[in-house]
Amino acid sequence: MAEYDVNTDAYLTSRYQIAEHEDREIFSTHTLLETIGDPSGKSVIDLCCGDGRLGWLLLEMGAKSVIGVDISREMLDRAEERRQSLPAAERDKVRFVQADLRTSDLILPQADLVSGLYVLHYADSPEAIGGMGRFIARNMKPNGHCALVTLNPDIDPDEDHSAAQAEEGVFIDFNRHAESRMRIGDFSCSVWRWTREVMESELSKGGLCDFGWAGCDLPDDRPDLQARFSAWRQNPQCVVFSARKTPVVHH
């Protein structure tokens, strides 16, 4: 995902300066945070962390520690800049490491929670999905759980997704091949659309089980947002994926 190193400013500007940014963040995170539950006192690994947007939120909600992981050195540098501005006590709760989730053998302190915003659709092959599954399982506690936002595996590329994508400001030019192009403002990069069957098969091989797929939704007390994002709610382009670590069977 070299685009995040080369076009970092275009991505961050497109994400933070669009109209109604805070409302769109609620849409991105509400179902994820409901799936995560209370992070208080928990250790977190934040996948595809970018500039740390989810990690900072979980820290504010009481997470004990956050390790952000991303392939982009430039995005990690932006996250580190913010970390350095924190008071020492808060700064020590978070760190950032560079790794390619598809192939990395990196071993981190096992976390209670592995999470992330927009993760599995960066797997450019079924084997890469399995690699991501191994990374998650290896670095998650036996009783931990995984919850992350990713592209909806049940999307029909032949349907019209323009209304839903316009509401979120994220446009994906789907085709019958796995690889598609995602556009956010002036930023664009490749993403990959795999079926649920392919993903669950590869993630099972990677050491995960008890899969869940929940469409991104909005709080009940925000009917204004529910109306604004009505097309997306009916045709969710992204979902919250959840899983647990496959138990080790001792013979």
Side-chain angles (χ1 to χ4, degrees):
M1 274 61 74
E3 293 93 342
Y4 286 95
D5 282 322
V6 176
N7 298 317
T8 311
D9 289 332
Y11 171 70
L12 294 175
T13 298
S14 297
R15 201 182 81 212
Y16 286 120
Q17 293 187 2
I18 57 175
E20 303 164 340
H21 162 67
E22 292 185 0
D23 287 347
R24 292 171 191 252
E25 284 292 280
I26 293 173
F27 190 78
S28 298
T29 60
H30 172 69
T31 302
L32 175 63
L33 294 176
E34 283 201 328
T35 304
I36 288 172
D38 184 4
S40 297
K42 293 183 179 180
S43 54
V44 178
I45 293 175
D46 178 19
L47 304 179
C48 298
C49 67
D51 64 342
R53 64 195 270 209
L54 178 61
W56 305 126
L57 178 58
L58 294 174
L59 283 173
E60 291 173 4
M61 295 174 66
K64 178 177 66 176
S65 64
V66 173
I67 300 175
V69 183
D70 203 283
I71 194 173
S72 168
R73 182 71 263 164
E74 184 64 28
M75 293 295 284
L76 291 172
D77 287 345
R78 304 298 178 95
E80 182 62 22
E81 286 178 12
R82 178 167 176 178
R83 191 185 82 87
Q84 290 297 331
S85 71
L86 298 174
E90 294 300 308
R91 189 165 62 238
D92 291 343
K93 294 180 181 179
V94 59
R95 67 184 176 103
F96 298 98
V97 297
Q98 186 176 22
D100 184 339
L101 301 176
R102 301 168 298 183
T103 58
S104 175
D105 292 325
L106 179 67
I107 297 176
L108 299 170
Q110 289 189 332
D112 299 301
L113 169 68
V114 177
S115 192
L117 285 169
Y118 312 111
V119 178
L120 297 176
H121 53 246
Y122 291 122
D124 55 358
S125 69
E127 293 77 17
I129 298 170
M132 289 183 170
R134 286 188 293 276
F135 188 97
I136 293 169
R138 181 171 63 248
N139 292 301
M140 186 164 63
K141 292 180 180 178
N143 61 344
H145 71 287
C146 167
L148 48 88
V149 177
T150 200
L151 191 64
N152 185 352
D154 299 326
I155 280 177
D156 183 344
D158 293 329
E159 291 184 359
D160 181 4
H161 302 280
S162 57
Q165 294 183 8
E167 288 179 350
E168 180 64 2
V170 177
F171 300 90
I172 302 176
D173 301 320
F174 292 117
N175 55 60
R176 290 189 169 274
H177 303 292
E179 184 175 3
S180 300
R181 198 72 183 170
M182 178 180 72
R183 295 177 289 110
I184 306 172
D186 294 330
F187 175 84
S188 69
C189 71
S190 292
V191 294
W192 285 265
R193 175 183 53 83
W194 304 104
T195 66
R196 188 186 298 216
E197 291 74 19
V198 167
M199 296 180 74
E200 291 191 353
S201 174
E202 295 300 326
L203 292 167
S204 293
K205 296 175 188 176
L208 299 177
C209 65
D210 297 341
F211 304 121
W213 306 88
C216 292
D217 210 340
L218 289 156
D220 291 337
D221 61 356
R222 293 298 304 269
D224 58 320
L225 293 185
Q226 293 179 7
R228 187 181 305 163
F229 294 103
S230 59
W232 182 292
R233 295 180 73 215
Q234 295 174 20
N235 181 20
Q237 306 291 287
C238 287
V239 296
V240 175
F241 165 80
S242 59
R244 298 208 174 257
K245 189 170 183 172
T246 303
V248 176
V249 179
H250 297 286
H251 298 285

